Amino acid sequence: MGIELSPAHFLYTGPLLTATPALAAVTMGPKGTFWAAAFALSISVATATFNQAWGSQQVYTNFLAILLVSAASIMTSSAISTRREEQLDQIRRIAVAAQGVLLRPLPARLGPMRASSMYLAAEAGAQIGGDLYAAVQTRYGVRILMGDVRGKGLPAVRSAAAVLGAFREAAHYEEELAEVISHCAAAFRRECALPGAVDEQAECFVTAVVAQVPEGPVIQMVNRGHPPPLLLRQGKVQALVPTTPLPPLGLEEFISGPPAKPESYPFVPGDRLLLHTDGVIEARNRDNDFFALPEAMEAVYAHNPPEFLDQLHQALIRHTEASLADDVAMILLDRLDEDVEAAATSPSDGRD
């Protein structure tokens, strides 16, 4: 446009304007291509008026070329956009199927507890990542795993799968809870040893907490560098911080002394326990403030675990304005009264 309005306006810039919609179609969507075409056409009109070139064959030829290229560019951009949406939908479907295999939904009832889980991926279009969780009913009680693999992408997913597979197997035949998490650590080290499994410049570790709910009003835990679970009792939240901090899986060289024994905490009927990854507590708002998870838990009034997690999810979305910087995984466990548990498990005698 500067050339057309300058003394050098005798230089013909029509081909440059004609190429504008075509170039826009490569990087912009249909709307962006439309506005690029309108911009090129408006410049042609302005320069033709300024140079008093109306009536010349060159001007009308340039207008016709811009119109034809614009129409073709908009149709091409629309086709590319549709194809990209179809590919993204396919990726989402594959990710949802993979998530169903890797992160199996928790049953509504786990032994003496009601349970629910939630996973939120930070990456657009993704459904799975480095966060992991599992819960199984065993002869030793209900055993739960919550963890977070350092890193992103397929290497993190493969590491999460290795840890989950080891947990689901060891949870059933290892009597000691510390041995269960040792199997998870061994599986993770084997995965990290594979060529190309992790970034050579990055540390390879997984923060994890393994919990067990045996008979009796207690919960046992082994925490390997993971954010402490939060216990909600009578409207107040308490963090179950381990007395002896342990390093994450993959950093066993920093452990000195005998294997750590599980720590026990009271877990009585009416208690509500939340296991989560650091994507929850490290979520920030536009003022760079962290999400206050304990306060959010105390502010939620919900009867069952799914509703409770849904309200926490809504509070997290409001805090971050729907812009998560990291994946989020949560498990909520409600300890039931023994009378409620017995009523739910006892068979009907057939009497009115």
Side-chain angles (χ1 to χ4, degrees), residues 22-29 84:
L23 294 175
V26 177
T27 57
M28 300 181 181
R84 286 175 179 172

Side-chain angles (χ1 to χ4, degrees), residues 112 140-143 211-220 264 267 335:
Y140 309 109
V142 178
R143 287 178 164 176
Q212 175 175 287
V213 182
E215 294 183 1
V218 297
I219 185 168
Q220 300 169 339
S264 296
F267 189 40
R335 185 64 189 254

Side-chain angles (χ1 to χ4, degrees), residues 221-266:
M221 292 186 185
V222 177
N223 193 325
R224 295 287 299 272
H226 198 75
L230 300 178
L231 182 69
L232 179 62
R233 176 180 296 156
Q234 297 180 352
K236 297 297 180 181
V237 171
Q238 172 190 359
L240 304 185
V241 181
T243 57
T244 305
L246 295 172
L249 309 184
L251 301 178
E252 282 72 26
E253 63 270 20
F254 295 104
I255 298 179
S256 59
K261 294 184 177 180
E263 299 187 27
S264 296
Y265 306 90

Side-chain angles (χ1 to χ4, degrees), residues 36-283:
F39 176 73
L41 189 61
S42 64
I43 291 179
S44 295
V45 172
T47 55
T49 302
F50 180 79
N51 295 322
Q52 298 180 358
W54 291 107
S56 65
Q57 182 179 1
Q58 189 179 59
V59 169
Y60 293 123
T61 301
N62 186 44
F63 283 164
L64 180 60
I66 291 177
L67 290 174
L68 291 176
V69 172
S70 297
S73 299
I74 292 173
M75 288 188 294
T76 301
S77 179
S78 179
I80 293 174
S81 180
T82 301
R83 190 179 304 112
R84 286 175 179 172
E85 285 295 327
E86 291 175 351
Q87 292 174 346
L88 185 57
D89 288 340
Q90 184 179 12
I91 292 173
R92 290 194 182 106
R93 289 194 297 269
I94 294 173
V96 169
Q99 183 190 32
V101 175
L102 187 62
L103 300 178
R104 303 168 189 169
L106 266 60
R109 186 68 184 273
L110 276 171
M113 299 173 294
R114 291 183 299 182
S116 185
S117 61
M118 177 176 289
Y119 184 91
L120 304 172
E123 186 176 353
Q127 295 292 333
I128 54 177
D131 289 6
L132 57 101
Y133 62 80
V136 293
Q137 177 78 56
T138 73
R139 55 181 172 172
Y140 309 109
V142 178
R143 287 178 164 176
I144 307 105
L145 169 69
M146 175 65 71
D148 187 0
V149 180
R150 185 191 186 280
K152 299 289 184 183
L154 288 178
V157 175
R158 288 193 294 264
S159 296
V163 174
L164 283 169
F167 170 78
R168 287 168 178 152
E169 181 180 2
H172 288 282
Y173 67 80
E174 287 292 349
E175 182 177 359
E176 297 297 329
L177 196 61
E179 288 300 318
V180 175
I181 202 165
S182 294
H183 278 277
C184 295
F188 177 66
R189 289 195 301 271
R190 289 194 297 269
E191 176 64 29
C192 289
L194 296 176
V198 295
D199 186 353
E200 295 181 358
Q201 303 299 323
E203 290 183 292
C204 185
F205 64 83
V206 179
T207 65
V209 57
V210 174
Q212 175 175 287
V213 182
E215 294 183 1
V218 297
I219 185 168
Q220 300 169 339
M221 292 186 185
V222 177
N223 193 325
R224 295 287 299 272
H226 198 75
L230 300 178
L231 182 69
L232 179 62
R233 176 180 296 156
Q234 297 180 352
K236 297 297 180 181
V237 171
Q238 172 190 359
L240 304 185
V241 181
T243 57
T244 305
L246 295 172
L249 309 184
L251 301 178
E252 282 72 26
E253 63 270 20
F254 295 104
I255 298 179
S256 59
K261 294 184 177 180
E263 299 187 27
S264 296
Y265 306 90
F267 189 40
V268 300
D271 286 354
R272 179 165 277 177
L273 181 71
L274 180 72
L275 296 94
H276 60 90
T277 55
D278 59 8
V280 184
I281 56 177
E282 293 180 359

Side-chain angles (χ1 to χ4, degrees), residues 326-349:
D326 196 5
D327 298 343
V328 166
M330 293 184 283
I331 288 179
L332 190 70
L333 303 171
D334 278 2
R335 185 64 189 254
L336 299 174
D337 290 328
E338 293 182 0
D339 294 339
V340 174
E341 180 185 353
T345 57
S346 63
S348 173
D349 58 8

